[in-house]
Structures are given as structure tokens and as C-alpha cells.
Amino acid sequence: MTATAARKSFVHNPEDLVSTSSSTTNSIAASPEDTPRQSPSTTSLSSLDSSSELELKSVNGKLIDTYGNEFQLPDFTIKQIRDAIPAHCFKRSGAKGLAYVVRDVASLAATFYLFHTYLTPENVPSTPLRAVLWAAYTFVQGLFGTGLWVLAHECGHQSFSPSKTLNDTVGWFCHSALLVPYFSWKISHGKHHKATGHLERDMVFVPKTREEYASKIGYYAHELSELMEETPIVTAATMIGQQLVGWIWYISMNVTGHNHHERQAEGRGKGKKNGFGGGVNHFNPSSPLYETKDAKLILLSDVGLALVATLLITIGRTFGWANLVVWYILPYLWVNHWLVAITFLQHTDPSLPHYEPNSWNFARGAAATIDREFGFIGRHLFHGIIETHVLHHYVSTIPFYNADEATEAIKPVMGQHYRSDVEGGPIGFLKSMWRSARMCHWVEPCEGAEGEHKGVLFFRNRNGLGAPPQKMAPSAGSKSE
């Protein structure tokens, strides 16, 4: 059974998988620039009668997602979303936020104390058993560390408390401890929220177009529909690489971010590109990811990293590098794994569209995200970042402990456009990583799309899964080998 057939009933059930619109801002309150412009069609699809809707489809063509299901553009406004949310959901409590920080730091400290004190050769003589238990330690610390990461993420969005000073102070300390450049990330992440789903401005997991994917693997775009299947071992190797070093590559080389830096308003992106030595990263104040006014904040982020790196080097020299690897480096890699997995699955799914500039607006782009389910770990240790991401892209200043209620409040407004994949809970979450890796290779317009629909792109793949890629004639000057 193909993936399309296997997912048919799931996709068509709006209670299980639907689409949504997103948050108003990056890290501060909404501004007029964050308000979505009206769709080129001034009449919402939901208000059209069947004949008008058919006429629109006949002009612009049908939009078909990767599962083979018909997609309609979101037709509601950010104001409708905000008005549906109870007023108390917007209230932030610095005391509650700090209590969660204390909880997560205490969990990290207690875990280290227990393992360091009791997991000794005297208490556990078996070396293999001690190795297994220390491996479990790295996993558990990775979970608690990810929770602390999420709280710093709350600080970056100003949803941690009403005080910007408190937010940025706590965020800087927490993220620096995890070797994250707090302000540098906060600024680029804010731009991601303002341009979610925009193929030329989004900042994370921007998919390759058909032409870009073909060029990467050494083919012409028209040849992709005839390629052999990518072997599962290649998919697995790609996923392992992504999970191991994806975050480091992102902050160091802007891998998965947009690569249109020549358009940077101050001209600092000329000649710069993503990749090693390309001059695009989260550490250099002159990076095209930032403006001149951001320089002091970027340097302050670097200072935080330098202080923590100095502390880690001191620990390694004092207690041994092997101990440092087990105590900090391996848990750090677990944190990076969860961060990359969560972000990848929030924005990569066979049901999600991406937009070219002429078809993008804020409401549409913000809808291109999806909620998932990770059980106790997701809801309690990761503070709901997996389960309430759709709401987060609408109003990023709502604190995580109010996000479940706010999510329920906006579902009636979004209707079929609210997207979630909660099937299978944590196991389903992990399975969806493989499914997305196999089905989401590049994005392209739907066959027969015209007008604004031509700028709405969906994932296609070379594995024969879901809707097939278009068959294209060779472009001028290209030839098959």
C-alpha cells in the first residue's frame, strides 16, 4: 500500500490532520507589519457558492498536497484568531516562569548528583552495566536540557514574563549554558516567525525547489520524475547526519535557512551565501542575518558562549575529558537532536504547502505548520512545544502553560485548516520523521496550477510515494546523459 493510500482516511479527517494559520510576531508584540495582507482574491473560499468555487478552481487549477488530497488556501484572519482566545490566556507570570526554570535546573542538578554519587565501581561493579546506565544518564539529561532550551525560547518570544529585562536575562543565561547564542538566535528566529513558509525569506527548513534538488544530485529538473528510488540506507544516513550536526550547521553556516542574502537591506549580504566559509552564521555581527543595530547583541551572545566554553575547558582539564564528554557533550548532542527533530517536524510534512513571494501572505505562511504529540515528555518535560506549535505561530507571546486552552479556542476558527498529526503519540512522532524524510524531497507547483496557485508549492519525491512529480519537458540547453 502506498503512503497516499495509507494516509487517506487520516488526512481527510479534520479532527486529525488539518491546517492552520500562525502567530503574529517574532519575539515582541504584534506590529502593523505583521498583519497579513488580503488574499488577491477578496472573497473567502468559505463564503463562495459551489459554482463560484468551481469557477475559481477552473481558472487557477486544483492544489494537491503530497498525500494526493485537495488543499484550499486559508481564508481567515489573524484578528479572528486572536479574538477567539480568552483574555486570560495572554497573561504571563514571571514567578511561574522562574518556577519552571528552577524545576528544570534542579532536575539537571539532581540527576547529575545521583549518577555521580551512586553510579560508581563500588556500587555497580559491572563495567558494561555502568556504561548502559551512564548512557541512560545522557538521554535523561538531554530531555531536561531540552526543557530548559524551550524556556529560553519562551524568553526570546517575550512569553516568559511581562518584563523584557527578565526575559532576556533568563534567556541569555539558559541558552548560553546550552551553547546557544541567545540574542543571535532570537533575532533570526523572529524573522522565521514573520516569514514562515516563504521560500525566499524563511529562516529554517526551507525546502529545495525542484531545480535546486536536481542540481544538488547532478540531474536536470525534468529528469526527477524518472529517477530510481532513493535507497532507505541513504535516507537513514541523511537523517542521522541531520540529527547529529544539523543544529551546529545551522548556527554556523545557516544550513536549511534561505539563501537570498543579496537582498539584505543594508547591502551586507553581497557575495555571501550559506555553507562553509560563506559568511552567513549566528556569531559574526556582520552576518547578513542581522542589521547594524544588532551588533552589540550578537557580541553579547558570543560572550555568553565564550564564558561557558571556558568553564567547560576548565572542567575537562580538571576532571578529565572523558568525564566532560559524558557529563555535558553527549547530553548536549541529545538536546540538539530533539531541537532539530521538533523543528523539522513542525515545518516539514506531506500536507504542508510553501509559498513563492507573489502567493505568500502572513496568514497563509503561518498556517504551514503542524501540531504533533509526544506524550508525557512532550507536554511536561518539553513544555508543550510539540503539541501547541500551531497556536504559537499565531500568537507567540502566549505562555506555554496557557497554550492548550488557547489551541482549543482557535480550532473552530481554523476549521479544516488546523493541522495536527497525533496518531500513535510518541511512536507516531518518530515514525513521522521517517515518513517526511521519504516523502518530502523538494517542492514544486501542482500540475495545471495557474495564477496565484502556481506559487503554492507542495512536496514531491523520487520514491513513488504520494502525488507524483510533474513530467517536464527538457529546458532549453539541457540534455540527458
Side-chain angles (χ1 to χ4, degrees):
M1 179 181 294
T2 67
T4 302
R7 303 292 291 181
K8 274 292 183 183
S9 61
F10 172 62
V11 173
H12 282 302
N13 184 351
E15 292 299 319
D16 290 332
L17 182 60
V18 226
S19 179
T20 136
S21 182
S22 137
S23 155
T24 52
T25 74
N26 56 354
S27 50
I28 320 292
S31 66
E33 289 82 14
D34 298 328
T35 302
R37 71 175 189 269
Q38 289 296 316
S39 164
S41 172
T42 57
T43 307
S44 101
L45 284 175
S46 62
S47 65
L48 293 172
D49 59 29
S50 58
S51 60
S52 298
E53 187 173 343
L54 289 172
E55 183 179 350
L56 181 62
K57 289 177 183 176
S58 67
V59 172
N60 289 336
K62 286 186 178 181
L63 297 173
I64 304 297
D65 71 16
T66 317
Y67 288 129
N69 297 312
E70 188 172 351
F71 175 86
Q72 292 185 355
L73 294 170
D75 58 349
F76 45 82
T77 67
I78 301 302
K79 184 179 185 305
Q80 289 175 306
I81 294 294
R82 293 182 69 92
D83 289 348
I85 300 171
H88 64 266
C89 290
F90 293 88
K91 293 182 179 179
R92 300 162 289 174
S93 168
K96 183 176 286 190
L98 287 171
Y100 278 105
V101 171
V102 170
R103 188 202 76 172
D104 286 356
V105 172
S107 298
L108 288 162
T111 302
F112 176 79
Y113 173 80
L114 291 172
F115 275 79
H116 184 259
T117 302
Y118 298 105
L119 189 53
T120 63
E122 293 76 19
N123 294 328
V124 185
S126 171
T127 299
L129 179 57
R130 286 202 314 277
V132 170
L133 292 174
W134 275 112
Y137 161 88
T138 69
F139 175 77
V140 173
Q141 291 292 70
L143 297 180
F144 291 140
T146 302
L148 192 64
W149 203 108
V150 173
L151 293 178
H153 167 269
E154 292 273 300
C155 293
H157 282 290
Q158 306 303 306
S159 58
F160 185 81
S161 82
S163 168
K164 186 175 185 297
T165 300
L166 178 61
N167 294 336
D168 287 340
T169 301
V170 173
W172 182 82
F173 273 102
C174 292
H175 261 176
S176 295
L178 297 167
L179 291 179
V180 177
Y182 171 71
F183 290 104
S184 308
W185 162 84
K186 171 185 171 180
I187 294 167
S188 68
H189 188 68
K191 293 180 179 181
H192 156 62
H193 269 258
K194 287 186 175 181
T196 306
H198 193 299
L199 283 171
E200 297 183 6
R201 289 175 46 216
D202 201 355
M203 303 296 288
V204 293
F205 284 109
V206 179
K208 289 179 172 56
T209 63
R210 180 169 180 152
E211 291 72 21
E212 291 168 341
Y213 181 88
S215 176
K216 178 186 175 183
I217 62 174
Y219 287 85
Y220 291 110
H222 71 272
E223 297 175 309
L224 292 186
S225 61
E226 301 173 0
L227 286 185
M228 293 178 62
E229 175 184 353
E230 178 184 81
T231 62
I233 194 169
V234 171
T235 305
T238 301
M239 289 180 64
I240 291 171
Q242 172 183 288
Q243 297 310 120
L244 276 176
V245 297
W247 167 250
I248 296 171
W249 281 356
Y250 173 67
I251 60 175
S252 302
M253 298 179 285
N254 201 46
V255 171
T256 82
H258 79 76
N259 204 17
H260 296 273
H261 306 294
E262 72 281 355
R263 302 174 187 176
Q264 204 271 350
E266 298 175 341
R268 56 172 57 197
K270 293 180 180 178
K272 296 183 178 180
K273 59 182 180 179
N274 297 345
F276 182 76
V280 185
N281 58 66
H282 282 71
F283 311 114
N284 191 338
S286 65
S287 170
L289 300 178
Y290 310 110
E291 285 72 49
T292 301
K293 63 181 176 61
D294 301 322
K296 292 182 179 179
L297 295 175
I298 308 307
L299 291 174
L300 183 56
S301 301
D302 294 343
V303 168
L305 299 183
L307 290 173
V308 173
T310 300
L311 176 61
L312 293 174
I313 291 171
T314 301
I315 292 173
R317 288 175 174 173
T318 304
F319 299 100
W321 298 105
N323 283 332
L324 178 64
V325 168
V326 175
W327 293 346
Y328 184 91
I329 301 300
L330 292 179
Y332 166 79
L333 292 177
W334 273 113
V335 171
N336 291 355
H337 155 72
W338 290 119
L339 169 64
V340 172
I342 290 166
T343 309
F344 173 68
L345 289 179
Q346 286 168 340
H347 301 285
T348 308
D349 187 82
S351 67
L352 297 179
H354 286 77
Y355 298 90
E356 292 183 339
N358 290 339
S359 297
W360 182 91
N361 64 35
F362 183 84
R364 291 176 180 178
T369 186
I370 185 169
D371 285 345
R372 301 187 189 272
E373 177 63 49
F374 207 62
F376 176 85
I377 291 175
R379 292 189 173 276
H380 297 283
L381 301 187
F382 293 173
H383 306 295
I385 196 172
I386 294 172
E387 292 79 8
T388 60
H389 193 68
V390 169
L391 177 277
H392 175 67
H393 264 274
Y394 280 110
V395 190
S396 58
T397 52
I398 289 181
F400 72 90
Y401 42 80
N402 293 333
D404 279 315
E405 181 180 357
T407 294
E408 293 303 315
I410 65 176
K411 284 182 180 180
V413 177
M414 291 182 289
Q416 65 168 323
H417 298 291
Y418 171 76
R419 295 195 178 279
S420 68
D421 181 353
V422 300
E423 188 177 278
I427 300 302
F429 177 90
L430 297 175
K431 286 182 176 179
S432 66
M433 291 185 64
W434 180 258
R435 182 172 64 246
S436 290
R438 295 289 287 170
M439 295 186 72
C440 303
H441 287 172
W442 70 83
V443 292
E444 64 178 55
C446 296
E447 189 167 3
E450 297 292 341
E452 67 172 346
H453 282 193
K454 198 169 185 178
V456 184
L457 281 59
F458 285 92
F459 285 107
R460 298 293 185 257
N461 61 79
R462 57 186 286 191
N463 293 330
L465 301 174
Q470 293 188 51
K471 293 187 178 297
M472 299 174 59
S475 59
S478 68
K479 61 180 180 179
S480 302
E481 295 294 336

